[in-house]
């Protein structure tokens, strides 16, 4: 009997990756290729969409070749992608009219101000679940139409189409036949009505975007089209934005289940089930995925400075040589740490939203040493995560069921134990931390009938579960101290 495999692509911000996953959910091969980051001006970030396509195709072919599998045994293809990054291309020639404008790019801040002046803030929140920010795709499309020669004219004639990176790859992989995206990616455009599951006429008109440019929107686990690789037909059967794919890859299928990715920043998503929940605390409401005729929603929040605070210990203060070393130094501090570090290097995000706040170190005494500082910086990742999770639980009116973790800093055992202690929740770290690309593989595998959602729970191997050890009294005392420190960092610069 021949084996069956899923091919999954992760088109990220700095690299394109492809993996082959076998029937047991094991990654048997991975290829990765970086591509150029283009910074034409301060605050502008672009990618060459053709280079994105090339690197993705080249890793895809290499991984098939290196694993030596039979192409006929690939039963499905899944895609996950950097979200919000915007491509506009000519549907006749296949050429992008401009570089891809990356999610980090803030050139459209003025267009966002205009939307605010038009009084669209409430409408945007109620319709798209988002806040007005240059981060999302809508204002980037508008910028291209206004600033690229002939773009508006060609778009009005119906010659130009828009896509986030998933759409761009899908259209190319299906030989220019399918112009579509999935609900999770559409929900990051600032144009999509996440309740009625359609493009919003008010916003399309406010940003003056011809409707003919927009892709069809489909569930995340869905047969989008076929990728013909030599004589083999591979169904493209799963698409989701990276954070949502990670939530799926972490098997957070139920309401109240959340994942946190500890990277440079932290990305937290909590599954809030099939009903829409809006945030009162500045969190985003987003579509997690669409599967089996059902749409699931999530609340999303991010911590701006997480792993970057550890980098500050290494590169700024130079008190550690590597991020990994932080754990051994922190362990030297016995008992409770009297020091609190608030890494509000560029202000405070959710749920405080104070751009005038600046970082602070509190509780210094004559015997404070570098180990206290290192431990306090690690603990700040856990405190900031707790701040967001409290807001999420209040917004969703759902208690946190569990926290599943991934990302570079989740390797730190001391941090994960403190996270569990301060949350009073189990923290679960999976063996496979490739949760994003596995999410795409699972969405595709479920669509083609290779797996059922229950199978994914059995595939998931847990590396370690951290269980809370703090008493109520200790937990409350420490968290109050953190909140007191945060208060004192607020409104620091004039
Ligand atoms: P990104 O995808 O944002 O680049 P990664 O998931 O690769 O991030 O994680 C890297 C970040 O995690 C770095 O900021 C680094 O400082 C931090 N980090 C990595 N390993 C550890 C560790 N053992 N303890 C604490 N922080 C760590």
């Amino acid at each position: 009997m021949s084996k069956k495999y899923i091919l999954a692509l992760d088109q990220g911000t700095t690299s394109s990756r492809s993996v082959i996953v076998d029937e047991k959910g094991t990654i048997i091969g991975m290829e990765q290729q970086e591509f150029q980051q283009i910074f034409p001006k301060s605050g502008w970030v672009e990618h060459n969409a053709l280079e994105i396509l090339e690197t993705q195709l080249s890793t895809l072919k290499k991984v098939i070749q290196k694993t030596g599998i039979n192409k006929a045994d690939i039963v499905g293809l899944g895609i996950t992608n950097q979200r919000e990054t915007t491509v506009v291309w000519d549907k006749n020639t296949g050429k992008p009219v401009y570089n891809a404008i990356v999610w980090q790019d803030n050139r459209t801040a003025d267009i966002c101000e205009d939307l605010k002046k038009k009084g669209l803030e409430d409408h945007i929140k109620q319709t798209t679940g988002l806040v007005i920010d240059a981060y999302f795709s809508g204002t980037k499309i508008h910028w291209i139409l206004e600033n690229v020669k002939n773009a508006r004219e060609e778009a009005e004639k119906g010659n130009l189409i828009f896509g986030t990176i998933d759409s761009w790859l899908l259209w190319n992989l299906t030989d220019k036949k399918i112009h579509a995206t999935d609900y999770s990616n559409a929900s990051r455009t600032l144009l999509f009505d996440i309740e009625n599951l359609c493009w919003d006429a008010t916003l399309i008109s406010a940003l003056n975007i011809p409707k003919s440019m927009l892709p069809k929107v489909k569930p995340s686990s869905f047969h989008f089209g076929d990728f013909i690789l030599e004589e083999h037909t591979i169904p493209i059967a799963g698409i989701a934005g990276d954070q949502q794919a990670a939530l799926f890859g972490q098997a957070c299928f139920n309401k109240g289940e959340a994942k946190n990715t500890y990277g440079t920043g932290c990305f937290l998503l909590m599954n809030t089930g099939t009903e829409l929940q809006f945030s009162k605390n500045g969190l985003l409401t987003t579509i997690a995925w669409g599967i089996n005729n059902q749409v699931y929603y999530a609340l999303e929040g991010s911590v701006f400075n997480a792993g970057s605070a550890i980098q500050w210990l290494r590169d700024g203060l130079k008190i550690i040589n590597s991020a990994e070393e932080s754990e051994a130094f922190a362990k030297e501090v016995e008992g409770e740490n009297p020091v609190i570090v608030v890494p509000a290097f560029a202000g405070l995000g959710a749920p405080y939203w104070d751009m005038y706040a600046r970082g602070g170190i509190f509780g210094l005494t004559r015997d404070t040493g570098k180990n206290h500082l290192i431990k306090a910086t690690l603990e700040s990742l856990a405190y900031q995560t707790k701040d967001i999770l409290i807001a999420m639980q209040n917004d969703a009116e759902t208690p946190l069921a569990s926290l599943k973790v991934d990302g570079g800093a989740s390797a730190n055992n001391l941090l994960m134990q403190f996270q569990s202690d301060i949350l009073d929740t189990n923290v679960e770290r999976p063996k496979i931390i490739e949760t994003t690309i596995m999410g795409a593989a699972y969405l595709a595998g479920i669509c083609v009938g290779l797996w059922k959602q229950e199978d994914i729970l059995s595939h998931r191997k847990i590396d370690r579960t951290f269980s809370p050890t703090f008493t109520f009294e200790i937990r409350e005392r420490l968290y109050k101290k953190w909140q007191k420190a945060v208060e004192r960092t607020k409104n620091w610069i004039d």
Side-chain angles (χ1 to χ4, degrees):
M1 217 175 76
S2 77
K3 293 194 165 171
K4 289 179 178 167
Y5 301 98
I6 297 289
L7 170 62
L9 318 181
D10 178 1
Q11 206 304 303
T13 308
T14 56
S15 73
S16 300
R17 299 196 302 156
S18 300
V19 299
I20 301 284
V21 179
D22 71 10
E23 279 163 273
K24 293 189 194 115
T26 308
I27 294 176
I28 61 160
M30 167 160 358
E31 285 298 319
Q32 178 164 2
Q33 210 174 316
E34 291 192 8
F35 53 84
Q36 203 194 348
Q37 305 292 314
I38 306 164
F39 307 107
K41 284 187 191 179
S42 161
W44 291 30
V45 189
E46 298 178 358
H47 293 155
N48 177 341
L50 292 169
E51 193 187 354
I52 282 185
L53 180 63
E54 269 163 35
T55 51
Q56 196 63 74
L57 288 173
S58 125
T59 58
L60 173 163
K61 286 177 187 153
K62 261 193 212 143
V63 78
I64 296 175
Q65 194 188 16
K66 284 213 180 152
T67 50
I69 62 163
N70 188 342
K71 293 184 192 77
D73 295 335
I74 304 175
V75 296
L77 188 159
I79 301 173
T80 181
N81 55 290
Q82 50 167 322
R83 303 178 302 175
E84 296 105 7
T85 297
T86 299
V87 191
V88 173
W89 68 97
D90 185 314
K91 69 177 186 189
N92 308 306
T93 65
K95 283 206 183 113
V97 300
Y98 190 76
N99 275 335
I101 302 186
V102 179
W103 57 274
Q104 297 149 322
D105 189 297
N106 65 9
R107 78 184 67 186
T108 57
D110 289 350
I111 306 172
C112 292
E113 285 308 314
D114 285 346
L115 291 177
K116 284 182 194 161
K117 277 190 207 131
K118 284 184 185 157
L120 282 166
E121 220 152 356
D122 281 349
H123 177 81
I124 286 181
K125 184 165 180 200
Q126 293 302 322
T127 312
T128 68
L130 306 175
V131 295
I132 298 181
D133 196 282
Y135 192 43
F136 306 109
S137 319
T139 57
K140 300 183 197 290
I141 308 173
H142 179 85
W143 188 92
I144 291 176
L145 293 180
E146 293 301 310
N147 292 279
V148 175
K149 198 165 167 245
N150 298 332
R152 175 153 303 283
E153 200 182 324
E154 290 301 312
E156 304 283 357
K157 280 193 217 152
N159 290 328
L160 302 191
I161 51 180
F162 148 79
T164 38
I165 295 294
D166 56 306
S167 295
W168 166 244
L169 294 177
L170 176 68
W171 189 81
N172 280 288
L173 290 172
T174 56
D175 198 21
K176 311 180 176 176
K177 288 195 186 77
I178 308 292
H179 182 219
T181 187
D182 89 299
Y183 290 137
S184 73
N185 275 294
S187 74
R188 315 296 297 186
T189 57
L190 209 75
L191 304 171
F192 196 64
D193 179 334
I194 59 173
E195 185 167 17
N196 299 305
L197 306 178
C198 58
W199 299 111
D200 180 70
T202 307
L203 293 172
I204 293 173
S205 143
L207 284 164
N208 201 6
I209 297 170
K211 198 165 177 209
S212 59
M213 291 183 78
L214 301 175
K216 292 212 163 59
V217 190
K218 304 288 181 187
S220 315
S221 186
F222 178 78
H223 183 189
F224 287 86
D226 293 323
F227 172 42
I228 311 288
L229 182 60
E230 290 150 23
E231 72 279 22
H232 305 285
T233 302
I234 305 174
I236 301 173
I239 293 182
D242 53 10
Q243 297 305 324
Q244 286 95 330
L247 190 69
F248 199 81
Q250 285 273 29
C252 294
F253 301 141
N254 301 308
K255 195 169 169 174
E257 291 179 339
K259 71 95 196 171
N260 190 11
T261 303
Y262 298 79
T264 310
C266 280
F267 273 102
L268 277 129
L269 267 82
M270 183 196 247
N271 184 329
T272 57
T274 54
E275 269 164 48
L276 206 48
Q277 309 270 1
F278 289 107
S279 175
K280 292 175 211 77
N281 298 290
L283 303 174
L284 305 177
T285 304
T286 203
I287 297 184
W289 48 73
I291 194 167
N292 300 332
N293 298 317
Q294 188 64 260
V295 164
Y296 291 82
Y297 295 96
L299 281 166
E300 173 171 330
S302 39
V303 170
F304 300 148
N305 284 292
S308 55
I310 310 301
Q311 285 165 8
W312 166 70
L313 295 177
R314 189 192 61 192
D315 307 334
L317 300 186
K318 299 190 168 48
I319 54 176
I320 52 173
N321 290 313
S322 68
E324 293 72 29
E325 226 178 65
S326 62
E327 185 166 350
F329 284 117
K331 267 196 188 138
E332 295 293 316
V333 178
E334 280 174 26
E336 271 175 42
N337 189 0
V339 177
I340 297 269
V341 169
V342 183
F345 300 135
L348 290 164
Y352 306 105
W353 298 111
D354 181 348
M355 59 180 171
Y356 303 106
R358 285 298 177 270
I361 304 173
F362 300 89
L364 300 179
T365 54
R366 186 62 187 80
D367 60 353
T368 300
K370 80 170 198 181
N371 295 343
H372 294 102
L373 217 57
I374 295 168
K375 190 173 187 201
T377 305
L378 282 171
E379 288 169 344
S380 75
L381 275 62
Y383 284 124
Q384 294 181 92
T385 297
K386 180 171 169 108
D387 288 340
I388 292 192
L389 282 169
I390 288 178
M392 277 185 177
Q393 292 172 81
N394 288 339
D395 284 336
E397 293 168 5
T398 310
L400 177 67
S402 69
L403 183 67
K404 300 180 182 180
V405 299
D406 51 53
S410 73
N412 191 307
N413 292 326
L414 180 132
L415 168 60
M416 292 301 108
Q417 182 57 52
F418 187 74
Q419 185 71 83
S420 167
D421 287 334
I422 205 70
L423 287 175
D424 199 29
T425 306
N426 281 349
V427 168
E428 218 181 86
R429 185 172 64 201
K431 270 210 172 107
I432 302 176
I433 51 166
E434 301 296 341
T435 53
T436 308
I437 205 158
M438 284 307 297
Y442 286 142
L443 286 165
I446 290 173
C447 174
V448 298
L450 183 63
W451 299 307
K452 295 202 178 59
Q453 209 159 294
E454 308 85 85
D455 298 334
I456 291 160
L457 294 167
S458 64
H459 287 170
R460 259 186 106 247
K461 300 275 179 301
I462 294 174
D463 169 44
R464 192 160 159 191
T465 301
F466 298 85
S467 302
T469 60
F470 282 176
T471 59
F472 173 82
E473 191 263 328
I474 299 177
R475 196 171 53 249
E476 288 300 298
R477 179 154 37 82
L478 289 179
Y479 190 56
K480 274 210 181 101
K481 198 155 68 179
W482 161 259
Q483 288 175 308
K484 195 159 141 188
V486 169
E487 279 310 309
R488 294 185 184 187
T489 66
K490 284 185 182 168
N491 206 13
W492 179 260
I493 56 166
D494 299 320

